[in-house]
């Protein structure tokens, strides 16, 4: 067969298009509150952020103001007023943020706000009008509530919802209090409280109990918890709806307590596969109703009825099956029946239901195109929204042809476990949403941020949220430098250089994934000097070190900025965790060369670094272990509850389970953790190496793992030591001290070669193979020279 290969280079228009998407099924997803209520809520937000300066703004909401499936705001000059008109309260709040950012250099983030009122500045004659690219801006991962917001009281929730509105987010998850509704449903069915205690996860592990990964771990949930969470959820939903935000509510995914089978012994079910190293049958492998089991729809509809009675509904629900677990059957008919059962259950409880599903499960190799297509096939098009959860590195819409016609949201996941480390795929995020919208027959309807944990890398989330109205990829260096000016409230040449270096280094990870630092990982004795732990350094370490120099140089000019101090601590922390890798290499080299004197010296140096890190982190309130633990205990109404909540909080960030199967997945570089947990683990490790060298015996890793588990890790989870919630020392002084002490260490040849030990970094693009008539067509699309370039190869068959 003769093949004729024709190479055609096409310049693709990079505008916003949704030719393949039908939005009519979503028309009922709209704010529940009146325009006047939404406008008043935004006015109150302005007062919280600006005080009396809020009087300068006049807020209006007009629901017919924007084009279909878009949001829009307009800024106009009034009589010594600025008039903000939005298509919703969220759009008006987004307009307020736009004005404050562009005319007052304001900045709002998890770490804090920076607002300097510069007077009543008018906008240009004719006003300013901005329209969103998409219908939705989505927020949260199902894990976020457990890793970040589990212990929040209303004051912290209010601040978060304000941030959502200012960022233009109109579709967040809202799962608080779900277990209280499940309790009502199951008790009415005849289950006992003891059976529910064995099923509900503990407060810090609810996300995975809800998804059927575990059962009962960290529990039981006290009755006071249910009462408190229902009251909190009312406040959360009321405020979200007052802004015109559409909360995504919980739904039934088929997982049930074992007690259901006592009442319905003939019910058909399967068991979930083991997950996360939970070997004990007490905690793992929940029961999953078969899709054709009548109880599936009955229980799901009962939950929705009870939930809507308590909280009302916005007609959009999240439920995730098979999260990081293989389905019990692989045949296509079974998979299709599961998707059908899930949607029919939603429809039985709410005829207007829209199903939102994370597509994270499809990353697993089990899910080939035919299985995904079968799973989605029985759900009507337009009734399901898939969250392309990790689209900045592993977009799934490409593999599955825009999910075979179903709607999807392009999401940046970015963070796993709420860990702390400078990291981001800025190049991928810059281009990704535009590539997705221009994908053939794209069904993309929004963008989202789906981090597992917040309170880290503020810069990546502000950058991602900017996609709300961005019309093409932008110059990253310029954006990062402008970000620094907004964040600190003034320009500084050292900081401009520093952020340029950070952008091209730690924030240009390509498809590399941030991994845990050596210092917060379980110690291992490697057979080579550079370590047996995973290394993922995708950047030139010299760029980070030079950025650190410039942060220190800028300290005297920016000392009054709390956000600068936070970032100075964060950058210094990042440098120290790299230096720790060098120290570990020195330790292993001295051990392998049987140099006992050097091993002892290097061990002291290594352990001293933990103390210096702990002191540094203790100077900023965002890096205090005490805040996490005290917030957990603040929900307690008895001492037993306080012990339970503190155990949950300590276990999640250390062992993550009964045996450490997910050990350090949610590790935290916090003051208190460095000195009292990570240093203790490494001290035991180093002393074991010294002992083994003295006795001339081999290091026994498995024995060490048992020793550290029993002597350090388990005791820490049950310990009740109170840690500070107030900072100690000065961030700038400590950063300068550490810079003077450790900068010479960064000149190590080993540190400058770390990138060699890492995975190959790839750029973001999409490639698709499809057949077009007599041709097999391969399209490779990349951003180049201000537009997209398609390399299309037509191979005649």
């Amino acid at each position: 067969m003769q093949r004729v290969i024709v190479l055609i280079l096409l310049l693709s228009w990079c505008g916003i298009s949704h030719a393949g998407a039908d939005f009519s099924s979503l028309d009922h997803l709209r704010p529940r509150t009146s325009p006047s209520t939404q406008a008043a809520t935004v006015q109150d937000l302005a007062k919280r952020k600006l005080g009396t300066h809020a009087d300068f703004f006049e807020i209006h909401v007009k629901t017919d103001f924007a084009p279909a499936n878009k949001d829009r705001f307009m800024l106009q000059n009034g009589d010594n007023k600025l008039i903000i008109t939005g298509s919703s309260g969220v759009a008006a709040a987004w307009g307020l943020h736009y004005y404050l950012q562009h005319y007052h250099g304001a900045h709002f983030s998890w770490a804090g706000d920076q607002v300097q009122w510069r007077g009543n500045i008018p906008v240009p004659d004719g006003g300013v009008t901005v329209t969103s690219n998409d219908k939705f801006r989505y927020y949260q991962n199902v894990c976020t509530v457990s890793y970040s917001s589990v212990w929040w009281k209303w004051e912290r929730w209010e601040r978060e919802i304000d941030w959502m509105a200012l960022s233009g987010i109109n579709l967040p998850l809202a799962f608080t209090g779900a277990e209280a509704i499940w309790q009502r449903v199951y008790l009415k069915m005849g289950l006992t409280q003891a059976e529910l205690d064995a099923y509900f996860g503990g407060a810090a592990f609810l996300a995975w109990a809800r998804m059927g990964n575990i059962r009962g771990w960290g529990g039981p949930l006290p009755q006071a918890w249910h009462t408190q969470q229902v009251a909190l959820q009312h406040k959360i939903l009321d405020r979200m709806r007052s802004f015109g935000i559409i909360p995504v509510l919980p739904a039934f995914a088929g997982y049930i307590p074992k007690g259901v089978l006592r009442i319905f012994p003939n019910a058909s079910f399967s068991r979930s596969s083991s997950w996360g190293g939970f070997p004990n049958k007490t905690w793992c492998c929940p029961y999953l109703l078969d899709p054709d089991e009548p109880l599936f729809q009955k229980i799901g509809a009962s939950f929705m009825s009870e939930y809507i009675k308590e909280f009302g509904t916005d007609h959009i629900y999240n439920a995730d099956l098979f999260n990081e677990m293989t389905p019990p059957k692989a045949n296509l008919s079974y998979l299709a029946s599961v998707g059908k059962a899930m949607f029919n259950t939603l429809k039985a409880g709410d005829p207007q239901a829209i199903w939102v599903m994370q597509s994270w499960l499809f990353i697993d190799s089990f899910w080939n195109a035919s299985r995904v297509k079968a799973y989605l096939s029985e759900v009507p098009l337009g009734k399901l929204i898939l969250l392309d959860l990790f689209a900045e590195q592993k977009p799934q819409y490409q593999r599955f042809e825009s999910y075979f016609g179903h709607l999807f949201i392009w999401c940046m996941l970015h963070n796993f476990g709420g860990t702390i480390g400078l990291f981001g795929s800025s190049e991928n995020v810059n281009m990704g949403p535009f590539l997705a919208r221009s994908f053939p027959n794209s069904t993309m309807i929004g963008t989202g941020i789906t981090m597992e944990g917040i309170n880290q890398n503020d810069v990546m989330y502000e950058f991602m949220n900017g996609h709300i109205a961005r019309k093409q990829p932008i110059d990253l260096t310029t954006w990062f430098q402008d970000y620094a000016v907004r964040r600190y409230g003034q320009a500084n040449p050292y900081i401009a250089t520093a952020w340029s270096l950070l952008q091209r280094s730690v924030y240009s990870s390509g498809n590399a994934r941030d991994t845990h630092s050596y210092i917060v990982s379980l110690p291992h004795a490697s057979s080579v000097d550079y370590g047996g732990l995973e290394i993922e350094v995708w950047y030139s370490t010299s760029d980070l070190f030079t950025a650190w120099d410039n942060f220190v140089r800028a300290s005297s000019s920016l000392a009054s900025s709390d956000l600068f101090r936070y970032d100075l601590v964060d950058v210094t922390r990042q440098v120290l965790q790299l230096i720790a890798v060098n120290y570990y290499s020195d330790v292993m080299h001295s051990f392998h060369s049987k140099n006992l004197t050097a091993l002892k010296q290097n061990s002291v140096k290594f352990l001293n670094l933990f103390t210096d890190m702990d002191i540094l982190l203790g100077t900023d309130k965002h890096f205090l272990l005490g805040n996490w633990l005290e917030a957990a205990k603040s929900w307690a109404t008895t001492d037993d509850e306080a012990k339970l909540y503190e155990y949950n909080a300590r276990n999640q960030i250390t062992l993550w389970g009964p045996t450490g199967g997910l050990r350090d997945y949610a590790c935290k570089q916090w003051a208190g953790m460095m000195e009292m947990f990570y240093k203790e683990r490494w001290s035991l490790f180093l002393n074991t190496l010294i002992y083994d060298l003295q006795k001339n015996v081999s290091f026994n890793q498995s024995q060490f793992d048992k020793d550290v588990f029993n002597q350090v890790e388990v005791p820490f989870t049950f310990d009740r030591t109170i840690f500070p919630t107030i900072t100690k020392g000065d961030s700038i002084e400590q950063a300068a001290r550490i810079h003077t002490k450790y900068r010479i260490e960064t000149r190590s040849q080993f540190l400058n070669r770390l990138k060699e030990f890492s995975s190959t970094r790839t750029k973001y693009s999409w490639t698709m193979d499809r057949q077009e008539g007599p041709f097999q067509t391969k399209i490779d699309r990349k951003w180049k020279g201000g537009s997209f370039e398609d390399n299309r190869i037509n191979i005649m068959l």
Side-chain angles (χ1 to χ4, degrees):
M1 179 185 295
Q2 184 180 14
R3 293 187 176 184
V4 179
I5 302 178
V6 182
L7 178 63
I8 307 171
L9 297 179
L10 301 173
L11 288 178
S12 175
W13 174 61
C14 65
I16 309 304
S17 174
H18 299 94
D22 178 10
F23 297 91
S24 60
S25 61
L26 307 179
D27 288 345
H28 62 293
L29 299 183
R30 61 173 66 95
R32 296 183 55 192
T33 50
S34 68
S36 60
T37 296
Q38 295 176 56
T41 304
V42 177
Q43 194 74 51
D44 289 342
L45 162 62
K47 291 176 183 177
R48 286 191 291 275
K49 295 298 183 183
L50 302 171
T52 58
H53 297 306
D55 294 337
F56 176 59
F57 299 97
E58 183 178 311
I59 309 296
H60 299 280
V61 171
K62 296 182 179 179
T63 57
D64 59 351
F65 179 58
N69 304 308
K70 310 278 186 179
D71 266 321
R72 172 178 285 173
F73 68 80
M74 181 169 60
L75 310 178
Q76 294 173 297
N77 297 316
D79 185 12
N80 199 32
K81 291 271 189 180
L82 186 79
I83 302 170
I84 302 178
T85 304
S87 54
S88 67
V90 173
W94 167 37
L96 173 65
H97 185 191
Y98 179 97
Y99 174 80
L100 294 173
Q101 183 182 84
H102 287 80
Y103 294 87
H104 294 266
H107 169 80
F108 303 97
S109 70
W110 295 316
D113 303 336
Q114 187 286 121
V115 183
Q116 297 178 12
W117 187 253
R118 299 172 180 172
N120 297 351
I121 303 173
V123 296
D125 292 341
V128 175
T129 300
V130 180
T131 304
S132 69
N133 292 328
D134 309 297
K135 185 176 181 70
F136 293 127
R137 278 80 57 197
Y138 178 83
Y139 179 48
Q140 292 191 65
N141 187 297
V142 292
C143 301
T144 312
V145 63
S146 292
Y147 285 133
S148 297
S149 60
V150 55
W151 311 122
W152 288 358
K153 297 292 181 68
W154 168 242
E155 291 74 19
R156 181 61 184 86
W157 266 111
E158 181 177 52
R159 175 176 169 78
E160 190 74 1
I161 297 169
D162 284 349
W163 177 84
M164 293 181 203
L166 289 166
S167 302
I169 291 166
N170 61 357
L171 195 69
L173 280 182
F175 278 14
T176 301
E179 283 66 32
I181 307 302
W182 277 119
Q183 182 188 47
R184 297 177 195 174
V185 171
Y186 285 131
L187 289 179
K188 286 179 181 179
M189 288 177 58
L191 275 74
T192 66
Q193 186 59 49
E195 288 170 327
L196 296 184
D197 289 343
Y199 177 67
F200 292 142
F205 302 97
L206 289 175
W208 302 277
R210 291 166 179 168
M211 290 187 289
N213 297 116
I214 59 176
R215 57 193 178 109
W217 175 250
L221 286 176
Q223 189 60 41
W225 175 267
H226 295 308
T227 302
Q228 293 163 331
Q229 294 294 293
V230 167
L232 179 59
Q233 178 72 337
H234 275 292
K235 291 183 178 181
I236 292 169
L237 293 179
D238 287 349
R239 181 59 57 82
M240 286 182 175
R241 289 164 175 164
S242 293
F243 272 120
I245 290 173
I246 302 170
V248 179
L249 305 175
F252 180 56
Y255 299 103
I256 57 171
K258 184 178 180 181
V260 171
L261 303 178
R262 174 181 59 80
I263 301 170
F264 300 95
N266 296 321
S268 56
F269 67 92
S270 60
R271 297 291 300 274
S272 299
S273 56
S274 181
W275 176 88
F278 276 66
N280 189 330
K281 293 294 183 182
T282 302
W283 314 118
C284 85
C285 316
Y287 297 82
L288 173 64
L289 289 174
D290 288 347
D292 56 357
E293 168 57 53
L295 276 178
F296 198 118
Q297 185 166 313
K298 179 181 178 181
I299 294 175
S302 296
F303 172 77
M304 292 182 70
S305 175
E306 194 71 36
Y307 193 93
I308 292 170
K309 185 190 306 181
E310 180 68 44
F311 296 118
T313 186
D314 301 85
H315 306 297
I316 186 164
Y317 309 89
N318 168 259
D320 292 299
L321 293 89
F322 311 128
N323 175 64
E324 298 176 354
M325 298 180 293
T326 303
K329 299 176 184 177
N331 63 77
L332 302 186
S333 60
Y334 171 78
L335 297 174
S337 67
V338 173
K340 181 178 181 180
M342 183 64 243
F343 179 71
N344 285 344
T345 296
L346 291 174
K347 190 169 62 173
D350 179 357
Q352 293 183 286
I354 300 294
W355 178 17
V356 174
M357 182 183 76
Q358 296 189 154
S359 68
W360 177 252
L361 73 165
F362 296 150
I363 288 178
D364 188 271
S365 59
F366 170 88
W367 292 98
N368 58 33
S370 61
R371 287 171 177 165
V372 171
K373 190 171 186 177
Y375 186 52
L376 306 179
S377 63
E378 295 295 328
V379 183
L381 294 181
K383 296 294 186 179
L384 169 64
I385 299 174
L386 292 112
L387 304 175
D388 205 329
L389 210 70
F390 196 14
E392 83 273 25
Q393 290 199 10
K394 293 186 177 181
Q396 300 300 298
Y397 72 88
Q398 306 166 6
R399 294 178 59 209
F400 306 125
E401 301 174 21
S402 280
Y403 295 102
F404 308 108
H406 288 284
L407 306 172
F408 76 92
I409 295 175
W410 194 100
C411 300
M412 180 187 81
L413 199 162
H414 178 262
N415 178 270
F416 295 87
T419 55
I420 299 171
L422 302 183
F423 167 77
S425 304
S426 63
E427 295 161 328
N428 295 3
V429 173
N430 195 24
M431 295 192 303
F434 299 103
L435 289 166
R437 291 192 194 99
S438 66
F439 191 78
N441 299 313
S442 177
T443 54
M444 176 178 163
I445 59 167
T447 53
I449 49 176
T450 51
M451 65 283 115
E452 289 189 349
I454 67 169
N455 299 317
Q456 40 75 32
N457 293 292
D458 287 338
V459 63
M460 287 303 302
Y461 298 94
E462 180 164 321
F463 181 67
M464 178 63 209
N465 284 336
H467 273 291
I468 187 172
R470 198 173 287 149
K471 301 306 178 186
Q472 66 176 25
I474 61 176
D475 182 81
L476 290 170
T477 300
T478 300
W479 188 92
F480 271 70
Q481 290 178 343
D482 290 345
Y483 167 86
V485 175
R486 293 193 303 274
R487 187 164 170 87
Y488 309 140
Q490 59 178 292
N492 181 283
Y494 295 126
I495 284 301
T497 299
W499 275 100
S500 295
L501 290 168
L502 291 177
Q503 185 280 314
R504 81 180 193 190
S505 57
V506 293
Y507 291 116
S508 288
S509 66
N511 285 343
R513 175 172 165 176
D514 189 28
T515 54
H516 299 161
S517 164
Y518 272 34
I519 53 177
V520 292
S521 298
L522 182 68
H524 283 74
S526 67
S527 59
V528 289
D529 295 346
Y530 61 78
L533 306 180
E534 184 180 1
I535 300 175
E536 189 71 82
V537 179
W538 56 90
Y539 54 90
S540 168
T541 55
S542 64
D543 281 348
L544 173 63
F545 302 147
T546 306
W548 185 33
D549 295 338
N550 281 280
F551 263 91
V552 173
R553 292 187 187 110
S555 294
S556 59
S557 299
L558 298 176
S560 61
S561 168
D562 289 340
L563 287 169
F564 170 78
R565 289 172 173 267
Y566 169 87
D567 290 341
L568 174 65
V569 170
D570 207 14
V571 170
T572 305
R573 174 207 54 72
Q574 185 79 12
V575 172
L576 288 179
Q577 74 171 25
L578 283 182
I579 293 173
V581 180
N582 191 32
Y583 285 179
Y584 172 78
S585 175
D586 291 342
V587 164
M588 294 314 304
H589 177 73
S590 56
F591 178 73
H592 292 313
S593 61
K594 300 185 183 300
N595 187 332
L596 183 60
T597 300
L599 176 59
K600 290 180 177 179
Q601 292 172 343
N602 289 326
S603 296
V604 170
K605 228 170 45 163
F606 196 6
L607 294 177
N608 284 342
L609 183 142
F610 285 87
T611 299
D612 281 333
M613 255 186 114
D614 202 82
I615 293 171
L616 170 74
L617 295 169
T619 65
D620 191 283
K621 64 182 180 181
H622 300 91
F623 298 99
L624 300 181
L625 169 63
N627 287 337
W628 174 252
L629 298 182
E630 294 307 310
K633 291 185 286 184
S634 72
W635 285 98
T637 60
T638 67
D639 187 57
D640 284 343
E641 288 179 10
K643 290 178 182 178
L644 177 64
Y645 295 151
E646 183 171 3
Y647 177 79
N648 269 251
R650 286 172 176 262
N651 182 272
Q652 187 207 85
I653 61 176
T654 54
L655 286 174
W656 211 123
T659 60
L662 288 171
R663 172 189 281 108
D664 300 321
Y665 182 84
C667 60
K668 299 294 185 290
Q669 293 182 44
W670 287 339
M673 288 296 293
M674 305 309 302
E675 185 75 13
M676 300 301 293
F677 184 73
Y678 301 123
K679 182 179 178 180
E680 289 299 308
R681 284 202 310 199
W682 280 98
S683 180
L684 180 60
F685 173 76
L686 295 169
N687 285 327
T688 302
L689 291 182
I690 291 170
Y691 177 86
D692 289 348
L693 196 56
Q694 289 173 329
K695 298 298 183 180
N696 196 30
V697 297
S698 299
F699 178 82
N700 187 327
Q701 183 70 54
S702 61
Q703 183 58 51
F704 170 76
D705 291 350
K706 295 175 184 177
D707 291 342
V708 77
F709 179 79
N710 292 314
Q711 297 177 34
V712 178
E713 294 173 328
V714 170
F716 179 86
T717 63
F718 286 102
D719 185 49
R720 303 215 55 202
T721 298
I722 296 175
F723 289 88
T725 57
I726 299 174
T727 60
K728 181 180 180 181
D730 182 80
S731 300
I732 290 177
E733 291 177 3
Q734 287 302 323
R737 177 186 69 83
I738 288 171
H739 187 269
T740 300
K741 178 177 179 179
Y742 287 97
R743 185 58 171 99
I744 192 172
E745 302 286 355
T746 65
R747 298 181 174 90
S748 154
Q749 183 181 3
F750 174 81
L751 284 180
N752 290 318
R753 293 181 57 221
L754 273 182
K755 190 176 178 181
E756 298 176 23
F757 306 135
S758 301
S759 303
T760 302
R761 184 166 66 95
T762 58
K763 299 288 185 179
Y764 188 96
S765 66
W766 63 258
T767 301
M768 180 188 68
D769 290 291
R770 60 189 175 123
Q771 187 168 333
E772 297 180 335
F775 293 97
Q776 179 75 22
T777 302
K778 181 180 180 66
I779 303 174
D780 182 58
R781 174 166 293 176
K782 292 183 173 67
W783 179 256
K784 184 177 181 180
S787 63
F788 288 121
E789 182 176 278
D790 281 359
N791 292 329
R792 180 185 299 261
I793 303 175
N794 290 333
I795 304 173
M796 183 169 286
L797 302 177

